[in-house]
Amino acid sequence: MNSTARSPIRVTPLPRPGRRVAERRKQRSKGTGDAIELALSAAAQGSDLDVVLIADDYGMLVASSSTDLDLEMLAAITPIVSRGRAKATIKRNGEHRDLSVKSIKVLGETLHVAALGGQPSTRALGVMRSVTAARRILG
């Protein structure tokens, strides 16, 4: 047998009609507001972030992960940071917290998804999970 032979690629079979697919979400919601809050909360918790929020192009808070923090000021600067016109210097309990922002278009509107805290790699993952959720739920 040839030592350079490769093992075959194994592909997971597609679901068959009538076959139940395992639900990946832990909670389901009926409304858009609840759905986006649950999705952002899951992204924040899964990436060990302080908070994930979505702000519109005017800096108004659209949605956020579940938190007791007042996010109005953070939402207000999010579009400015996203455009590269300012760098956010944020402290929480006297400790420096990094902010990552990604802009997306949803139904012709520009939204800015921001994640505060955590490590750079996990924060990037949290932002991407939030972007995917925002496009799916709000689009």
Side-chain angles (χ1 to χ4, degrees), residues 68-84:
D68 292 332
L69 299 174
D70 180 5
L71 301 175
E72 297 300 321
M73 288 180 133
L74 188 58
I77 66 163
T78 297
I80 299 166
V81 172
S82 178
R83 292 183 195 112

Side-chain angles (χ1 to χ4, degrees), residues 50-51 67 69 90-97 116:
D50 295 343
V51 69
T67 184
L69 299 174
I90 300 167
K91 287 191 176 185
R92 181 170 178 222
N93 298 329
E95 188 177 315
H96 175 76
R97 310 304 284 166
L116 179 67

Side-chain angles (χ1 to χ4, degrees), residues 15-110:
R16 289 183 228 145
R19 187 170 134 196
R20 293 186 52 101
V21 177
E23 176 62 43
R24 62 180 166 71
R25 291 179 274 185
K26 305 270 188 267
Q27 294 179 304
R28 291 184 76 66
S29 61
K30 296 189 188 292
T32 303
D34 290 338
I36 194 69
E37 182 179 341
L38 286 171
L40 297 179
S41 295
Q45 188 175 31
S47 298
D48 198 27
L49 302 171
D50 295 343
V51 69
V52 177
L53 67 85
I54 300 175
D56 69 10
D57 213 24
Y58 299 101
M60 300 298 292
L61 183 63
V62 174
S64 72
S65 58
S66 180
T67 184
D68 292 332
L69 299 174
D70 180 5
L71 301 175
E72 297 300 321
M73 288 180 133
L74 188 58
I77 66 163
T78 297
I80 299 166
V81 172
S82 178
R83 292 183 195 112
R85 293 188 180 161
K87 183 171 169 63
T89 303
I90 300 167
K91 287 191 176 185
R92 181 170 178 222
N93 298 329
E95 188 177 315
H96 175 76
R97 310 304 284 166
D98 287 325
L99 180 72
S100 295
V101 182
K102 170 103 172 115
S103 298
I104 60 172
K105 287 275 192 186
V106 176
L107 300 174
E109 297 291 326
T110 301

